[in-house]
Amino acid sequence: MARGQDDLQHRGIGMTSQRTRERLIQRLYEEGLSNAAVLEVIRRTPRHLFVDEAFAHRAYEDTALPIGHNQTISQPYMVGRMTELLLAAGPLDKVLEIGTGSGYQTAVLSQLVERVFSVERIQALQERAKERLLALNLRNVVFRWGDGWEGWPALATYNGIIVTAAAAEVPQALLDQLAPGGRLVIPVGAGDVQQLMLIVREENGFSRHVLDAVRFVPLLNGPTA
Ligand code: SAH
């Protein structure tokens, strides 16, 4: 990048420009994301609106960033990767998301599936996520303040479930709430590094696929203000 351009970016001009976003999409493609619909949604979703203003200039880097309350907005690659895994067998109508956080993954999902049901344990994060999605006119999302270990039983079953925090073990409630053929994408493990898993509800039981090594904040217990 030319020096002058770099200076401009550091002063905040153009930091969220179309060209900056294109570079991110190119990078995600090179890293192996291949679902054109997913890449297109990431291209048009304004990630800078989902991070604190102090980090807005880094919103189109492929990196996790702090969102307060010791939580992070997921790395765009991971958002794309998990979304691709969820959608790999075809379109989904009902998707349950555990860990709304900033609402960025929620926003991406809501543009690719019929309806999203999103559970978050920290009320303040949930409120801000709600406002962001409304501002973007993404209205096919319902939010719940609660404990993701329990899923959202009243509205089960779901064709897809995505968990954006690491669980020491796969929550039984989430398995129970998967529809036949339903897909669960979840980081599993108690340490700093976990395994991304894809679990599919088959006619007789579940098939389990262990995928990438990943790093997520932990799935904690119980709702909190
Ligand atoms: N997808 C979010 C990632 C947020 S980080 C984003 O891109 O912004 C993980 C989120 O999971 C945090 O907001 C955290 O508060 C939430 N979380 C952790 N344990 C939870 C639980 N038991 N139930 C619901 N949400 C939980």
Side-chain angles (χ1 to χ4, degrees):
M1 182 190 297
R3 180 71 208 284
Q5 216 181 337
D6 200 39
D7 288 348
L8 280 180
Q9 296 228 348
H10 281 106
R11 292 212 304 271
I13 299 163
M15 68 195 177
T16 59
S17 73
Q18 204 52 40
R19 191 189 292 183
T20 312
R21 295 196 200 186
E22 288 307 328
R23 263 204 305 271
L24 172 64
I25 300 308
Q26 183 60 32
R27 179 171 168 166
L28 297 181
Y29 178 75
E30 285 162 7
E31 285 176 348
L33 297 191
S34 60
N35 183 320
V38 172
L39 286 171
E40 178 52 32
V41 166
I42 294 177
R43 174 186 281 121
R44 68 171 182 237
T45 303
R47 190 169 183 256
H48 63 279
L49 302 182
F50 290 82
V51 300
D52 291 342
E53 231 173 295
F55 291 98
H57 66 293
R58 300 187 57 193
Y60 298 95
E61 293 176 18
D62 188 21
T63 183
L65 292 169
I67 55 173
H69 304 266
N70 279 324
Q71 305 302 320
T72 54
I73 182 173
S74 304
Q75 183 190 1
Y77 172 80
M78 198 46 60
V79 171
R81 170 84 171 126
M82 292 174 84
T83 306
E84 283 194 359
L85 287 168
L86 214 53
L87 294 174
L92 300 176
D93 54 1
K94 278 179 78 182
V95 172
L96 174 67
E97 176 188 50
I98 306 299
T100 316
S102 67
Y104 177 71
Q105 169 84 69
T106 323
V108 168
L109 274 175
S110 78
Q111 298 171 76
L112 291 158
V113 307
E114 291 279 319
R115 283 178 299 165
V116 182
F117 302 87
S118 190
V119 179
E120 170 58 54
R121 70 181 282 275
I122 300 177
Q123 196 170 28
L125 286 178
Q126 187 200 47
E127 287 304 324
R128 271 158 61 205
K130 261 189 203 172
E131 287 166 13
R132 290 178 179 123
L133 267 82
L134 268 186
L136 293 172
N137 206 22
L138 299 172
R139 295 173 182 273
N140 57 340
V141 181
V142 192
F143 297 89
R144 173 182 159 93
W145 178 40
D147 183 359
W149 283 98
E150 294 167 10
W152 192 338
L155 302 179
T157 57
Y158 307 95
N159 310 106
I161 302 180
I162 181 171
V163 183
T164 68
E169 59 199 56
V170 179
Q172 183 60 42
L174 300 186
L175 295 173
D176 295 342
Q177 291 169 33
L178 265 187
R183 301 162 73 80
L184 166 62
V185 178
I186 180 171
V188 182
D192 279 356
V193 178
Q194 309 99 26
Q195 297 293 331
L196 188 63
M197 289 188 69
L198 168 66
I199 299 173
V200 183
R201 180 161 217 156
E202 313 284 1
E203 266 179 48
N204 303 304
F206 297 90
S207 67
R208 293 161 188 264
H209 313 266
V210 178
L211 306 166
D212 327 348
V214 292
R215 252 173 217 280
F216 279 83
V217 295
L219 190 67
L220 301 172
N221 286 314
T224 176

